[in-house]
Amino acid sequence: MMKKLTLRILAAIFFVGSTTEIWAQTVAKELKADVNRTAGVFYSLPVTKEKDTPVPGGKKPFYINHYGCPASYYSLQPEDYEKPYAVFIQADSLGKLTKLGRDVLRRIKLVREDARNRSGELTEKGAQQSRQLMRQLVERFPDVFTEKGYYSGRSIVENHCILTMEHAMAQLSAMQHFSNYNSRATHRETNFMNPSDPTLTNRRTDSLTLVLYNRFADLQVDENRLMEALFTDQNFVITTIDPPTLSRQIFRLAGSIQHTELAGRVTLYDIFTPDELYHMWRQRNVWDYINYGACQLNGGDQPYLQRATLRNMIHMGDSMLNRYAPLVHTRYTKERVIMALACLMELDDCGVQTSNLDSLEHLGWANYRIAPKGGSIVMIHYRSERGDPDVLVKVLLNGKEARLPIYTDCAPYYHWRDVKYYYLRKLYRYENLRFNGNQNNR
């Protein structure tokens, strides 16, 4: 009996080890296939045609609840362009740039000029992306998008989110000439569209977590090769430049180009080696996990920042059960909201919990899969008729059918009562532990 048990344990360990290695290889292949993915949450989600699994029992969609990231936009911070530009201008004035360094300065000038006075503004590609994503949604679910339906767009009060919503609504109107829709940006719904919780956010990077992250980050990239390729005088580099900061700034600029009309004409990725790109992405991936994922180093509860968002999704799902006409809610908010919500809902591999920062891609957690520009979480509700006691739901993560941490006999569809029970119970447990913890600390 003991021998059989040992063999089963060894087999399980081998299976887990093989699975994590497959995930790591998959991430590496995805990054190699499209270097823009190394931008993480700054990756621009391509609009691809997705195939939907047939709905069991002849049920049809009647309600769509959509939470989306803004489409491609220019950086909110002008210093993202100005700071690296200033470093290269100073080095050039002193004759400290190599031939490659002078060419990189030329490219940075182009990127900087393209973004001048456009902080946080939706790019032309972003506008097109938003329209294409709405077109795809309408074409995938024609039973919901009818003249009898009602369509509501809401945005947090951020320029790029508002414009993403408006372009989506314009596309909807152009396709179907709907009159029964409205859109607005308001602070009144911030409590569930972009909630805040100082207690949680203050715990994100406690001293131990920050020490472990810095140790992880320091082991990822050696900036010496890049500095030697760009600057002729390494004494100038030592006395004037912070190589890790400059490397990150250029890396971020490289990822921003994909959102603009410069894409395909200008690149900064080529100054990095494939290994450097991979490890710089790992730095950012781990940082996103610490801040928005269930990282056990800081308590594993950062995704609960979006508990009001999830509770609102459940409330709206319940309130639509007896509605006659189809309804679509589209909500546009920050990428970090979508990332934390995906982790809270444990979609696909988003809910992984670990304290091992080196294991994320082995566990399938990759930021560009979760909340890229144009990304979304969409919950679709299905029924056979009004009053159907067995409503089904399906969740799309960035357009793809997602797994939920809930038993179902009809995946990727789940029984609404099971989904509601699982998430309400999860939220209740957290609130109960938090309240009791606060009580005990008095």
Side-chain angles (χ1 to χ4, degrees), residues 314-340:
I314 295 170
H315 167 72
M316 295 309 298
D318 257 356
S319 65
M320 297 299 124
L321 292 177
N322 291 313
R323 181 179 174 83
Y324 283 98
L327 176 65
V328 178
H329 282 144
T330 54
R331 306 290 182 249
Y332 294 92
T333 182
K334 294 179 180 290
E335 300 91 328
R336 68 185 185 216
V337 172
I338 302 304
M339 178 168 281

Side-chain angles (χ1 to χ4, degrees), residues 15 24 99 122 133 159 175 189 286 296 319 322 334:
F15 175 76
K99 181 179 179 181
L122 208 67
L133 288 168
N159 184 32
M175 289 181 72
E189 294 166 338
V286 165
Q296 292 179 330
S319 65
N322 291 313
K334 294 179 180 290

Side-chain angles (χ1 to χ4, degrees), residues 27 31 211-226 243-244 247-248 251 272-287 290 356-362:
V27 169
L31 295 175
V211 165
L212 292 174
Y213 171 74
N214 288 334
R215 183 184 300 170
F216 169 85
D218 289 343
L219 294 173
Q220 295 304 306
V221 182
D222 180 1
E223 295 84 9
N224 291 331
R225 186 211 62 81
L226 181 61
S247 296
R248 286 195 297 270
F251 177 66
F272 299 97
T273 68
D275 191 58
E276 287 168 348
L277 289 172
Y278 173 64
H279 287 288
M280 293 188 83
W281 167 78
R282 291 191 85 210
Q283 284 184 340
R284 185 65 204 192
N285 193 53
V286 165
W287 183 250
I290 287 172
N356 182 358
L357 300 181
D358 205 41
S359 68
L360 284 191
E361 63 263 40
H362 294 271

Side-chain angles (χ1 to χ4, degrees), residues 393-410:
V393 295
K394 177 174 71 173
V395 176
L396 304 179
L397 177 60
N398 302 324
K400 300 181 184 297
E401 295 175 338
R403 301 189 315 274
L404 274 60
I406 302 164
Y407 168 77
T408 180
D409 56 359
C410 52

Side-chain angles (χ1 to χ4, degrees), residues 136-148:
Q136 183 189 66
L137 196 65
V138 173
E139 290 174 348
R140 285 179 74 174
F141 304 103
D143 291 316
V144 184
F145 291 92
T146 68
E147 291 185 0
K148 294 181 179 179

Side-chain angles (χ1 to χ4, degrees), residues 90-122:
Q90 181 187 12
D92 188 46
S93 69
L94 297 173
K96 304 296 185 182
L97 290 179
T98 64
K99 181 179 179 181
L100 175 62
R102 291 192 297 273
D103 190 54
V104 168
L105 171 57
R106 177 189 64 82
R107 294 184 238 174
I108 290 177
K109 281 182 179 179
L110 291 172
V111 176
R112 172 178 174 266
E113 181 59 28
D114 180 64
R116 189 165 59 88
N117 297 329
R118 291 180 173 179
S119 299
E121 185 180 309
L122 208 67

Side-chain angles (χ1 to χ4, degrees), residues 22-33:
I22 289 170
W23 272 125
Q25 292 173 1
T26 301
V27 169
K29 287 179 180 178
E30 288 177 348
L31 295 175
K32 185 177 180 181

